[in-house]
Amino acid sequence: MGNSGLRKIFYPGDIVENKYNSLYDITVIDLDKKEVNLSQYKNKVCLVVNVGSQNRDAPAELQDLKQLQQHYGPLGFQVLAFPTNQFANEPGNYNQVKDCYAKRYETSFPVFAKV
């Protein structure tokens, strides 16, 4: 996996070597467990957002993101959503997360695997 360096936890005082020059150098995993190089979004304005389907505000937030994508997508805008369980609001596995965003929220933008 191309982004394994992102999983390290850094502490104050650590010296960190950034091996990425930009967002477009990173490869992530999608909800179909396929690698996606973010360079495919290079000519777009991207909004990278942390989402959580179990957050009490998720329905409204995801609806707002969907509207942003629908309205500005044709102009070169792209929402890139990354679920996390950072706040205990995304507990599911790949299939549960995929079903939730595809069926429950009908997202119109890419949602990637939990990070």
Side-chain angles (χ1 to χ4, degrees), residues 55-95:
N55 180 342
R56 66 180 169 86
D57 297 326
E61 290 171 352
L62 290 165
Q63 183 62 33
D64 289 346
L65 291 171
K66 192 162 56 169
Q67 289 176 350
L68 275 173
Q69 182 62 52
Q70 289 170 345
H71 190 278
Y72 294 106
L75 302 173
F77 176 79
Q78 185 64 60
V79 173
L80 303 174
F82 291 87
T84 72
N85 200 30
Q86 181 179 6
F87 305 106
N89 57 15
E90 199 67 74
N93 63 29
Y94 273 99
N95 294 331

Side-chain angles (χ1 to χ4, degrees), residues 11-61:
Y11 297 97
D14 280 356
I15 296 173
V16 179
E17 180 182 343
N18 183 1
K19 64 181 182 178
Y20 304 108
N21 292 318
S22 76
L23 174 75
Y24 309 114
D25 295 333
I26 300 172
T27 298
V28 297
I29 304 298
D30 68 13
L31 290 176
D32 292 322
K33 299 182 183 179
K34 294 181 182 164
E35 289 190 3
V36 175
N37 191 299
L38 295 181
S39 65
Q40 73 185 49
Y41 302 106
K42 196 167 195 160
N43 295 320
K44 296 182 180 266
V45 173
C46 296
L47 173 63
V48 178
V49 61
N50 175 342
V51 294
S53 64
Q54 304 303 314
N55 180 342
R56 66 180 169 86
D57 297 326
E61 290 171 352

Side-chain angles (χ1 to χ4, degrees), residues 96-114:
Q96 292 167 324
V97 172
K98 181 179 178 177
D99 285 348
C100 180
Y101 286 98
K103 294 177 182 172
R104 181 174 176 192
Y105 293 115
E106 298 176 339
T107 54
S108 57
F109 47 85
V111 179
F112 297 97
K114 288 194 297 188

